[in-house]
């Protein structure tokens, strides 16, 4: 059944309201905490303009007051919107709007962290496939060698995450410091990559996310993005896939089911052709067998007639 042209995915409606990111909305929906007009919703459901969307009984409305913040996160602050966690980034900023972080910086790391209530742009930025760059300066406990740089650039296997990192840009800054530009956001990615090669990360600072640079923003301070930065950010993600992981998974599942259906139809068609061919071959064999038996009987009758005629002549 075709979707109503005015409807949108429920997770997008929630993220557009500024309540949380689309991925976080998927979790809320999956846990049965989201209702439309009083009815509990499930993943993949859609919302219409004017629907009453609630999370835990709280009405969700579209937020026209969009906020974009650049924070120089200090070491020790945790990237979470769970305010029960001591030292969470939301309480640290203490903004009047409900905002959430774009990606993460682990607790021992510092540097640039984007915060916003624009859930749509969050999903676009977080898609590794969109090749959105993030730049870091990293200090290690050992000398940076050419071999280290080569291996870091060409992908490191992370067995615990069951993946190999994508190729990336890496350059030496000094004997113990290197610069790296990633298009991924794996959990503790840089630290894990270094650990694999026997290096320990002593300091890690993110200095750029796409067109947004940390610059000279003091540690622990934040600022609103400039109109030019917001425009550049929106332009950079304008062609990006902005569906959530669950949406993409469902889409892949639909495509897989279609492929399987197509395959089954091809298989059924092939089987029917084979059955028809088998029936035709079997029928031809039976016809040949009947023709052979008929010929044999004619030969026998003919031979018998000659013998009988021979005896009476």
């Amino acid at each position: 059944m075709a979707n109503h042209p005015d409807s949108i995915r429920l997770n997008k409606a929630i993220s557009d309201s500024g309540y949380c990111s689309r991925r976080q909305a998927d979790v809320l929906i999956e846990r049965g905490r989201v209702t439309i007009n009083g009815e509990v919703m499930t993943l993949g459901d859609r919302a219409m303009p004017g629907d009453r969307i609630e999370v835990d009984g709280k009405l969700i409305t579209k937020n026209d007051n969009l906020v974009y913040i650049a924070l120089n996160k200090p070491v020790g602050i945790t990237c979470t919107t769970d305010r029960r966690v001591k030292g969470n980034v939301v309480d640290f900023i203490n903004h009047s709007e409900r905002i959430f972080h774009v990606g993460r910086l682990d607790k021992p790391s510092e540097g640039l962290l984007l915060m916003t209530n624009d859930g749509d742009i969050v999903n676009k930025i977080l898609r590794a496939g969109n090749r959105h760059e993030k730049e870091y300066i990293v200090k290690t406990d050992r000398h940076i060698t050419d071999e280290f740089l080569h291996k870091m650039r060409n992908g490191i296997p992370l067995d615990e995450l069951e993946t190999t990192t994508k190729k990336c840009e890496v350059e030496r800054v000094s004997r113990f410091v290197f610069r790296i530009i990633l298009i991924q956001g794996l959990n503790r990615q840089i630290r894990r990559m270094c650990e694999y090669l026997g290096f320990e990360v002593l300091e890690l600072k993110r200095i750029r996310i796409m067109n947004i640079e940390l610059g000279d923003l003091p540690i622990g301070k934040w600022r609103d993005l400039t109109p030019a930065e917001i425009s550049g950010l929106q332009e950079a993600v304008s062609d990006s896939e902005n569906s959530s992981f669950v949406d993409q998974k469902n889409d892949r599942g639909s495509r897989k089911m279609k492929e399987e259906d197509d395959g089954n139809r091809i298989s059924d068609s092939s089987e029917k052709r084979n059955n028809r061919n088998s029936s035709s071959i079997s029928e031809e064999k039976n016809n040949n067998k009947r023709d052979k038996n008929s010929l044999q009987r004619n030969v026998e009758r003919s031979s018998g007639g000659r013998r009988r005629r021979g005896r009476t002549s």
Side-chain angles (χ1 to χ4, degrees):
M1 179 183 295
N3 296 316
H4 192 284
D6 293 335
S7 70
I8 62 172
R9 284 203 179 251
L10 178 55
N11 57 2
K12 184 178 188 304
I14 295 173
S15 68
D16 285 351
S17 75
Y19 185 86
C20 63
S21 70
R22 195 177 298 190
R23 185 175 298 182
Q24 291 169 318
D26 283 329
V27 175
L28 295 173
I29 297 168
E30 197 169 26
R31 292 176 178 175
R33 296 170 57 185
V34 180
T35 62
I36 292 182
N37 303 326
E39 181 180 351
V40 176
M41 295 291 103
T42 59
L43 289 175
D45 285 339
R46 304 179 72 85
M48 290 288 295
D51 277 342
R52 184 180 179 86
I53 304 172
E54 296 180 339
V55 176
D56 296 332
K58 180 180 179 180
L59 180 65
I60 300 301
T61 56
K62 184 174 178 59
N63 190 348
D64 294 322
N65 184 27
L66 294 179
V67 174
Y68 304 89
I69 286 173
L71 165 71
N72 189 347
K73 185 190 91 66
V75 171
I77 296 299
T78 303
C79 289
T80 180
T81 56
D82 187 348
R83 306 183 81 162
R84 296 170 298 181
V85 175
K86 185 177 180 180
N88 69 82
V89 70
V90 175
D91 283 342
F92 180 78
I93 292 181
N94 194 29
H95 199 278
S96 58
E97 292 287 334
R98 180 192 290 267
I99 58 176
F100 39 91
H101 46 88
V102 183
R104 302 176 65 89
L105 267 178
D106 58 16
K107 192 172 181 178
S109 301
E110 64 181 89
L112 181 60
L113 183 68
L114 297 184
M115 304 283 294
T116 183
N117 57 359
D118 183 351
D120 191 52
I121 205 169
V122 171
N123 288 283
K124 291 179 178 180
I125 294 174
L126 294 182
R127 294 289 163 248
N130 293 326
R131 303 185 65 84
H132 299 319
E133 292 183 349
K134 291 162 287 185
E135 185 174 349
Y136 303 81
I137 298 294
V138 186
K139 182 178 180 180
T140 68
D141 64 335
R142 295 173 56 186
H143 293 175
I144 305 300
T145 64
D146 291 339
E147 181 183 12
F148 171 86
L149 296 174
H150 174 77
K151 290 181 177 179
M152 290 285 285
R153 291 182 185 123
N154 289 281
I156 299 294
L158 302 180
D159 294 339
E160 62 272 37
L161 300 182
E162 299 181 344
T163 189
T164 297
T165 60
K166 295 180 181 293
K167 290 186 177 182
C168 58
E169 297 182 36
V170 188
E171 66 175 9
R172 183 188 293 107
V173 175
S174 65
R175 292 181 66 191
F176 295 91
V177 179
F178 68 92
R179 181 193 311 269
I180 183 169
I181 300 175
L182 299 179
I183 57 170
Q184 285 176 292
L186 302 177
N187 181 30
R188 299 182 65 252
Q189 180 173 344
I190 297 174
R191 295 180 187 275
R192 291 178 189 272
M193 292 170 72
C194 290
E195 287 169 5
Y196 180 86
L197 298 175
F199 286 67
E200 180 184 352
V201 172
L202 301 180
E203 297 177 11
L204 189 154
K205 175 188 289 187
R206 183 157 63 196
I207 61 172
R208 179 173 65 89
I209 298 175
M210 302 167 66
N211 65 309
I212 312 300
E213 297 187 1
L214 180 64
D216 57 1
L217 183 65
I219 294 177
K221 301 298 182 179
W222 60 268
R223 64 174 178 83
D224 293 311
L225 298 190
T226 67
E229 287 175 324
I230 296 172
S231 177
L233 195 64
Q234 292 172 335
E235 181 179 354
V237 300
S238 60
D239 296 326
S240 296
E241 170 62 59
N242 68 343
S243 59
S244 72
F245 171 78
V246 172
D247 289 345
Q248 294 188 27
K249 183 178 179 182
N250 290 338
D251 290 341
R252 288 195 297 269
S254 297
R255 289 195 297 269
K256 183 178 180 181
M257 288 177 64
K258 184 178 184 302
E259 291 170 359
E260 289 176 350
D261 288 343
D262 292 342
N264 289 336
R265 283 196 293 271
I266 293 171
S267 178
D268 290 344
S269 177
S270 177
E271 185 177 354
K272 288 177 181 177
R273 287 197 301 271
N274 290 338
N275 289 339
R276 286 198 296 270
N277 291 338
S278 297
S279 298
S280 177
I281 293 171
S282 178
E283 184 177 354
E284 184 177 351
K285 286 182 177 180
N286 290 334
N287 289 337
N288 291 338
K289 186 176 181 180
R290 285 195 296 271
D291 292 342
K292 184 176 180 181
N293 291 338
S294 177
L295 179 61
Q296 182 65 32
R297 286 194 298 272
N298 289 337
V299 170
E300 290 175 353
R301 283 198 297 270
S302 176
S303 299
R306 286 197 298 273
R307 284 195 297 274
R308 286 193 296 275
R309 283 195 297 274
R311 287 196 295 272
T312 58
S313 60

